[in-house]
Amino acid sequence: MIGILVGPGFLLFSYSFKSVPGWYPVFFALAGSFLAYGAIFWNIGRMKRPLKWGSFLFSLVLSVIVTFALKGPQQHLAHQPFLINCLIYLATIVFLLFAMLLAIKILYSLTESRAEGDVPKRHILYFSILPLLISLLYFWAFYPGILMADSVNQWQQAHSTFYNDWHPAVMTWIIKLAARIWDTPASYVIFQFILTALITGYVFYVFEKLRIKKPVLWLGYAFFCFLPLIPLYSVVIWKDTLFSYFLLAFTVMLIQIIDSNGKWLRSFSHLLFLYLSVCGVIFYRHNGWPVLLATIVIFLFFLRKRYWYMYGVFALAVITFLIVTGPVYKHYKVFPADETESYSILYQQIGRIVKENGHITPAQRAVINQVMPIPDWKKYYQPTDVDRIKFTPHFDRAYIKSHKKAFFSTWFALCRQNPKLALEAFYDQEKLSWKLYISGEELRRPIFRNKDFEKYRPVYFMTQKNVQKYHVHYKWFYYKDYGSDLANTKLSSRITQINQTFSQGMLRVLMMPAFYLYLILLFLFTAILKGNWRFVLAAVPMFLNLGSMFAAIPAQDIRYFFPNFLLAVPFFFLATLTSRKRDSHG
């Protein structure tokens, strides 16, 4: 009876009954009753009482968080009595609570397969075939690949001798190498989707070796192959695709290191692939470097003795990074990344305070005005789009760099004087990291990318002064120069239609990175319940990456949280494993 009530209540939290088909309330009533019955009466996992209480408290807290993450405009509830609104919120929390408790019960009851025998390495190739074929379809549809402004800039750099580390220079050099083999963006795209398919094959090969049951394994495999965002990203040229796959490979290798109590590190080939995956993480996105350093520090508290080979690989990666970003960058005169790019949250907080006429002293106003004229702050501030501020011609990055103390002290004082406005600006800028409902207007950038232009102007990511100083000159980018007429427009239109289906309505939540973050938390909690708490260490790089995004997200763009989509699968698999024994050398 409770489930029959909370199901429609959960639906009412986001939609009025008038705005959905008539069978929706019936479906959610049945779903609510099923979840309630399973959560309350099924005893499928033989969980001990303390674990049951722990599961209840965890699920309750997460249910409350997810409820507020789902909260949208709720215009249909605006004129309802306060009591009705409270009951709808309560129904949503209870519905989610039942769903999480049942999920934990099912995961807790799952075990690995008892099948014996080794898994041949050729299974890596077998698991790679379907992702590769799907990527080839997307490649045909969007030939020679999908480029954004960032991609155009790196393509232009690859055809010059001037390199700018605004976007990772190592990736630009790989693009340059691919272009020397075949001078078209398609060359890099082919390299990218072959590599992503091989990493995918490797991931599922590893979990097949760990004896994940076939239905569970194939469920994860279907997600990897058919969630529209994943194959689409394999043909988009930007740093986030391969960064996410390198982080995925790194995480899966950490799982094997932890599961084997360090024995996995005894193979030279394993150490080599670990080194390559770590290098991919630190070279393909600027926040990968601090993520590695923090990972080393945290691991030293938990993993010792048998894990020194791992630290040796980390040390080699650190040395490689210092050499490449030091002498090598200096030799090629790589223009350094603009440090002010990581101040996006600060700009948004200042912009909010200025726009809302917060408390600002004359001295603070003078500093803000030096960065950008006050009228421009008010004109260009948009709660979820910092690019409108930082790419405005009048925005003076040079002043910020030369007057750091004045800028930071002014920002800090403004936040202290206007805490409510500062928190609101932070909340709006960080929505993508935890919200499950974000409107198209708030997101600013589309969930799914397409070939949005036929040509693109030279992109420098430098001040005009520096462009002239270093005599940088790029040519316009024209898709037609690289055979874009070979693209299958009918196929791309069909893919776009499918993508639109996932961009609206209830399916839109599947495209929100936070959805997979909450799933990962649920999976890791289940692993802890089953005694596999050390596997949580494999999630440290992922959480550090999320933390760096939370502290300095440059823009509201789903691609920055693409690792969430990929990493949900290995952590789902971990939640199905039984307790692993730990030896005295851990």
Side-chain angles (χ1 to χ4, degrees):
M1 189 65 186
I2 295 175
I4 293 174
L5 294 175
V6 300
F10 175 76
L11 178 63
L12 275 172
F13 187 78
S14 301
Y15 302 94
S16 67
F17 285 160
K18 293 180 180 179
S19 66
V20 297
W23 59 270
Y24 271 40
V26 177
F27 171 80
F28 278 93
L30 293 174
S33 60
F34 170 76
L35 294 174
Y37 182 83
I40 296 171
F41 297 109
W42 286 2
N43 188 24
I44 52 180
R46 296 183 180 179
M47 199 181 294
K48 294 180 180 178
R49 186 175 294 273
L51 298 184
K52 287 182 179 180
W53 277 108
S55 300
F56 175 80
L57 292 174
F58 171 84
S59 300
L60 180 61
V61 171
L62 191 58
S63 297
V64 172
I65 294 171
V66 172
T67 297
F68 285 96
L70 281 168
K71 186 178 181 297
Q74 296 183 322
Q75 295 175 354
H76 61 290
L77 299 180
H79 302 293
Q80 295 296 328
F82 176 73
L83 179 60
I84 296 296
N85 278 277
C86 288
L87 289 174
I88 290 173
Y89 270 77
L90 179 61
T92 302
I93 292 171
V94 174
F95 182 90
L96 292 170
L97 176 64
F98 287 154
M100 291 181 193
L101 286 173
L102 180 58
I104 290 173
K105 279 188 175 184
I106 293 172
L107 291 169
Y108 190 83
S109 68
L110 291 175
T111 61
E112 57 267 47
S113 171
R114 295 182 180 179
E116 298 294 335
D118 195 22
V119 179
K121 286 186 171 61
R122 63 176 179 272
H123 283 205
I124 295 174
L125 296 178
Y126 294 165
F127 282 120
S128 301
I129 290 172
L130 185 56
L132 184 62
L133 291 175
I134 295 173
S135 290
L136 279 169
L137 280 177
Y138 276 72
F139 182 52
W140 186 21
F142 299 105
Y143 187 86
I146 299 174
L147 284 82
M148 303 293 114
D150 296 2
S151 333
V152 171
N153 171 250
Q154 288 189 285
W155 182 254
Q156 291 166 337
Q157 285 187 59
H159 289 76
S160 75
T161 56
F162 182 86
Y163 306 109
N164 183 351
D165 198 39
W166 183 288
H167 304 297
V170 171
M171 178 183 170
T172 302
W173 292 336
I174 295 174
I175 293 174
K176 189 181 187 80
L177 180 61
R180 287 195 172 185
I181 299 170
W182 184 23
D183 192 14
T184 168
S187 59
Y188 179 80
V189 172
I190 292 170
F191 160 75
Q192 178 172 271
F193 68 64
I194 288 175
L195 186 54
T196 60
L198 287 172
I199 291 175
T200 301
Y202 174 74
V203 168
F204 287 92
Y205 159 77
V206 167
F207 283 102
E208 188 180 19
K209 282 182 64 178
L210 291 176
R211 305 301 174 198
I212 299 299
K213 285 185 174 177
K214 294 294 183 182
V216 175
L217 194 72
W218 289 116
L219 179 62
Y221 190 65
F223 172 85
F224 249 80
C225 293
F226 299 116
L227 186 78
L229 200 68
I230 294 177
L232 180 70
Y233 272 34
S234 72
V235 298
V236 181
I237 299 179
W238 53 24
K239 58 184 177 288
D240 307 279
T241 298
L242 283 186
F243 170 82
S244 300
Y245 275 91
F246 284 130
L247 185 59
L248 171 67
F250 181 33
T251 302
V252 171
M253 290 177 195
L254 289 177
I255 289 170
Q256 293 175 92
I257 292 168
I258 294 167
D259 183 63
S260 67
N261 290 304
K263 294 176 184 177
W264 185 87
L265 295 164
R266 295 177 183 176
S267 166
F268 175 78
S269 61
H270 291 171
L271 295 176
L272 176 61
F273 288 126
L274 178 62
Y275 169 75
L276 293 174
S277 68
V278 172
C279 284
V281 169
I282 61 179
F283 283 118
Y284 251 78
R285 213 156 70 181
H286 291 123
N287 67 314
W289 171 241
V291 164
L292 174 63
L293 296 182
T295 298
I296 294 171
V297 172
I298 293 170
F299 276 16
L300 283 169
F301 287 97
F302 299 96
L303 303 176
R304 295 182 292 273
K305 294 183 179 178
R306 287 188 176 179
Y307 301 89
W308 293 120
Y309 283 163
M310 179 181 70
Y311 294 114
V313 170
F314 290 167
L316 184 59
V318 168
I319 293 168
T320 304
F321 182 85
L322 295 175
I323 291 172
V324 171
T325 58
V328 176
Y329 274 26
K330 186 177 180 180
H331 174 76
Y332 287 102
K333 299 179 181 178
V334 176
F335 191 79
D338 196 323
E339 60 188 291
T340 64
E341 181 68 4
S342 61
Y343 304 161
S344 294
I345 292 174
L346 283 61
Y347 304 150
Q348 290 293 81
Q349 290 177 315
I350 294 172
R352 181 65 161 255
I353 292 166
V354 172
K355 189 176 182 71
E356 298 296 330
N357 298 312
H359 174 48
I360 307 173
T361 66
Q364 293 164 352
R365 187 174 294 272
V367 172
I368 297 169
N369 201 59
Q370 285 288 338
V371 176
M372 186 167 70
I374 296 293
D376 284 351
W377 282 102
K378 293 188 175 186
K379 178 181 178 181
Y380 293 112
Y381 171 74
Q382 204 284 333
T384 57
D385 189 5
V386 70
D387 284 359
R388 287 169 56 88
I389 289 176
K390 64 186 183 183
F391 291 126
T392 299
H394 297 138
F395 188 74
D396 193 348
R397 294 174 183 268
Y399 177 83
I400 297 174
K401 286 184 275 190
S402 60
H403 297 80
K404 284 183 183 178
K405 184 176 180 181
F407 175 76
F408 281 105
S409 60
T410 299
W411 160 76
F412 183 76
L414 286 173
C415 292
R416 191 181 63 229
Q417 293 160 199
N418 305 273
K420 184 175 181 292
L421 292 175
L423 284 172
E424 287 173 350
F426 181 81
Y427 166 82
D428 284 334
Q429 182 67 6
E430 296 292 346
K431 275 185 178 180
L432 195 56
S433 63
W434 73 278
K435 284 284 286 181
L436 292 171
Y437 175 87
I438 302 179
S439 67
E441 292 181 358
E442 291 177 308
L443 191 55
R444 307 299 292 179
R445 288 179 171 85
I447 294 173
F448 296 97
R449 298 305 181 94
N450 207 330
K451 289 160 66 175
D452 295 327
F453 51 83
E454 294 182 359
K455 60 182 180 179
Y456 210 93
R457 60 177 173 76
V459 185
Y460 295 101
F461 290 104
M462 298 169 65
T463 62
Q464 192 60 37
K465 181 179 178 181
N466 281 328
V467 170
Q468 294 172 356
K469 177 181 177 182
Y470 294 102
H471 307 288
V472 186
H473 178 70
Y474 298 145
K475 296 179 180 179
W476 277 73
F477 175 85
Y478 294 91
Y479 261 120
K480 65 180 182 180
D481 291 344
Y482 304 103
S484 60
D485 56 314
L486 298 175
N488 188 324
T489 53
K490 289 184 179 179
L491 181 58
S492 63
S493 296
R494 180 58 183 155
I495 289 172
T496 301
Q497 289 174 3
I498 295 171
N499 292 346
Q500 286 299 320
T501 303
F502 281 84
S503 299
Q504 53 198 1
M506 293 185 182
L507 289 178
R508 185 179 171 88
V509 73
L510 297 178
M511 296 298 107
M512 292 294 105
F515 178 76
Y516 300 96
L517 172 61
Y518 297 134
L519 284 180
I520 288 170
L521 291 175
L522 185 73
F523 298 151
L524 290 175
F525 177 76
T526 306
I528 293 171
L529 286 180
K530 297 172 87 167
N532 292 326
W533 69 267
R534 287 202 310 156
F535 281 134
V536 175
L537 292 174
V540 165
M542 183 205 75
F543 284 119
L544 290 172
N545 176 62
L546 283 174
S548 66
M549 288 292 102
F550 198 72
I553 183 172
Q556 289 280 349
D557 200 326
I558 281 176
R559 65 187 174 111
Y560 295 124
F561 298 96
F562 186 50
N564 289 19
F565 295 81
L566 303 181
L567 290 168
V569 172
F571 292 125
F572 166 55
F573 291 158
L574 284 185
T576 69
L577 294 177
T578 52
S579 179
R580 320 300 264 189
K581 293 182 179 180
R582 178 186 176 187
D583 64 19
S584 59
H585 297 282

